[in-house]
Amino acid sequence: MAKGTVNLRYFVLGLLAQQPMSGYDIKRFLKSLDWLIGSPSSGSLYPVLRALLQDGLVTVEVIPGIDRPPKKIYSLAGAGRQALDNWTDQPAVPGAPLKGFVMRLLLAGSLPHTRLVAHLEQRRVQVAAHQKALKQASAGPDGATGSDAAAGSGQHLAQDYGLTLATAELAWLNHTLERLSN
Amino acid sequence: MAKGTVNLRYFVLGLLAQQPMSGYDIKRFLKSLDWLIGSPSSGSLYPVLRALLQDGLVTVEVIPGIDRPPKKIYSLAGAGRQALDNWTDQPAVPGAPLKGFVMRLLLAGSLPHTRLVAHLEQRRVQVAAHQKALKQASAGPDGATGSDAAAGSGQHLAQDYGLTLATAELAWLNHTLERLSN
DNA sequence: ACACTCATGTAAGCTGTTACATGATTAA
DNA sequence: TTAATCATGTAACAGCTTACATGAGTGT
């Protein structure tokens, strides 16, 4: 598999699907949404681009910058489109970090709407399950056989926090899904 | 520094501050809040415990389980308390992932309330800044000099998502901070 | 003179995971 | 007898970051 990352690999592929870009362009774009997903460092990004090139998933066009360092504009190749589709077809791994979901959201532009809806619905199921679990945990944790360890006040705080976020996310998912069926 | 992680290291230290536990206990406890922070694998947890022991930050008591494998109960040592305090004193790194904040939340039980409040306030500042940035981005991105790359519909979705979560988190922070001043 | 943006890249290291190995006890 | 829970651990590697290196142009 020629060495290279896995997550970032497909995410970059997805970005290139929306528009051909250089490595530097990608970094600038991602820096603008730094808080959500964090932008990759050169140390991870450039190797990924080279790996994608070596695997024939993208093509380059070198634009010799007049007065500027030359730019390497990467574009999605046929095989890249294939690989990307394969990837977006499979559902997100259950315990995927938030980051993964936001990434998929960002790729929405290069996704058939049915697939986007499917992803959102999948997320809804997972968040709902999580919310339910947190509610149960908050409700009746006390008493039992010594139900558990380290039940500091922090645990309650964290559960409350998680519950709030999960509820907000669910509301957004419902609202967005409804909006998308128009 | 005897090899070992950095994040997990202090988090484990914080858990042990609330209550002596074995490695397995820690895993079980964290698995119950898997969604929020994900629980560490044996491959990271056990080496951390050994490193903490080697550095004299914790002590062990081996309880030879009758009928069970022996348990190693780790407790915070004096030097460990020191190290932990040092760590909790310094503010979270600006771009810290959500995970980091929730971890600190979980350690609230072994924190003086002033420090907890400080952490929450710091977080409030950061989330507020983030929220503001997202609002600006959503408001006037169109038009300019070709303001930017890959502005797919996905970007808008992700921004909206982020804005919703940030707003919910801010509300929670305000509410919680208010509650804590009683 | 200094520093910053543009633009690419390499080397070394940290943090963590996956997958395996061990071994005893209990439930299907 | 097959699997799951309890309990600890190791080896290999994936994925990323930090810090460096290069080099031109632009602004103060």
Side-chain angles (χ1 to χ4, degrees):
Chain A
M1 220 198 218
K3 196 75 90 19
T5 60
V6 172
N7 285 332
L8 191 52
R9 194 181 162 92
Y10 289 104
F11 185 50
V12 165
L13 223 46
L15 289 180
L16 293 179
Q18 313 206 12
Q19 182 168 152
M21 298 166 102
S22 74
Y24 198 80
D25 289 336
I26 291 179
K27 277 180 62 178
R28 258 206 317 193
F29 174 59
L30 291 184
K31 204 150 85 178
S32 73
L33 345 128
D34 200 9
W35 178 278
L36 262 2
I37 50 172
S39 83
S41 59
S42 349
S44 57
L45 181 57
Y46 287 114
V48 161
L49 286 172
R50 197 192 316 169
L52 289 176
L53 189 62
Q54 241 166 10
D55 292 357
L57 304 184
V58 298
T59 57
V60 218
E61 187 193 0
V62 180
I63 299 193
I66 295 184
D67 271 16
R68 315 219 131 272
K71 260 186 167 189
K72 294 188 180 177
I73 305 290
Y74 293 88
S75 310
L76 197 67
R81 161 65 60 187
Q82 195 85 37
L84 183 57
D85 286 348
N86 273 7
W87 187 66
T88 52
D89 275 8
Q90 49 187 95
V93 291
L98 215 179
K99 207 172 148 178
F101 177 64
V102 179
M103 281 185 175
R104 278 171 192 265
L105 232 43
L106 280 171
L107 300 186
S110 55
L111 238 58
H113 64 303
T114 49
R115 218 145 322 271
L116 173 59
V117 168
H119 278 316
L120 291 176
E121 271 167 355
Q122 200 210 322
R123 176 81 183 173
R124 179 165 59 176
V125 170
Q126 287 176 3
V127 176
H130 171 221
Q131 189 201 34
K132 194 177 161 191
L134 278 180
K135 266 182 186 160
Q136 283 180 335
S138 307
D142 293 347
T145 332
S147 79
D148 221 6
S153 58
Q155 191 180 180
H156 185 253
L157 260 186
Q159 279 167 350
D160 193 45
Y161 176 80
L163 198 53
T164 298
L165 289 194
T167 304
E169 183 168 355
L170 262 185
W172 182 84
L173 286 168
N174 285 326
H175 171 247
T176 302
L177 277 167
E178 201 178 339
R179 231 194 30 181
L180 284 184
S181 24
N182 299 347
Chain B
M1 219 195 216
K3 196 76 91 16
T5 61
V6 171
N7 285 333
L8 190 52
R9 193 182 163 91
Y10 289 104
F11 184 50
V12 165
L13 222 46
L15 290 180
L16 294 179
Q18 312 206 13
Q19 184 168 149
M21 298 166 99
S22 72
Y24 197 82
D25 288 335
I26 293 179
K27 279 181 62 179
R28 255 206 318 191
F29 173 60
L30 291 184
K31 203 150 87 178
S32 74
L33 349 124
D34 200 7
W35 179 277
L36 262 0
I37 50 173
S39 89
S41 59
S42 351
S44 56
L45 182 55
Y46 287 113
V48 161
L49 285 171
R50 198 193 317 171
L52 289 176
L53 189 61
Q54 244 167 6
D55 291 356
L57 304 184
V58 300
T59 57
V60 220
E61 188 193 359
V62 180
I63 299 192
I66 295 183
D67 271 17
R68 317 216 131 273
K71 259 187 167 186
K72 293 188 180 178
I73 306 290
Y74 293 87
S75 309
L76 197 66
R81 160 65 60 187
Q82 194 86 37
L84 183 58
D85 286 349
N86 272 8
W87 186 67
T88 52
D89 275 9
Q90 49 188 92
V93 292
L98 215 179
K99 208 172 148 176
F101 177 64
V102 179
M103 281 185 176
R104 278 171 191 265
L105 232 43
L106 280 171
L107 300 187
S110 54
L111 239 57
H113 63 305
T114 50
R115 203 100 40 234
L116 173 60
V117 168
H119 279 316
L120 292 176
E121 272 166 355
Q122 199 209 325
R123 176 80 184 175
R124 179 167 55 177
V125 169
Q126 287 176 3
V127 176
H130 172 221
Q131 190 201 33
K132 194 177 161 191
L134 278 181
K135 267 181 185 161
Q136 283 179 336
S138 307
D142 291 349
T145 329
S147 78
D148 220 2
S153 58
Q155 191 180 180
H156 185 252
L157 259 187
Q159 279 168 349
D160 192 46
Y161 177 80
L163 197 53
T164 298
L165 289 195
T167 303
E169 183 167 356
L170 262 185
W172 183 84
L173 285 169
N174 285 326
H175 171 247
T176 302
L177 277 167
E178 201 177 340
R179 230 194 29 178
L180 284 186
S181 27
N182 299 347

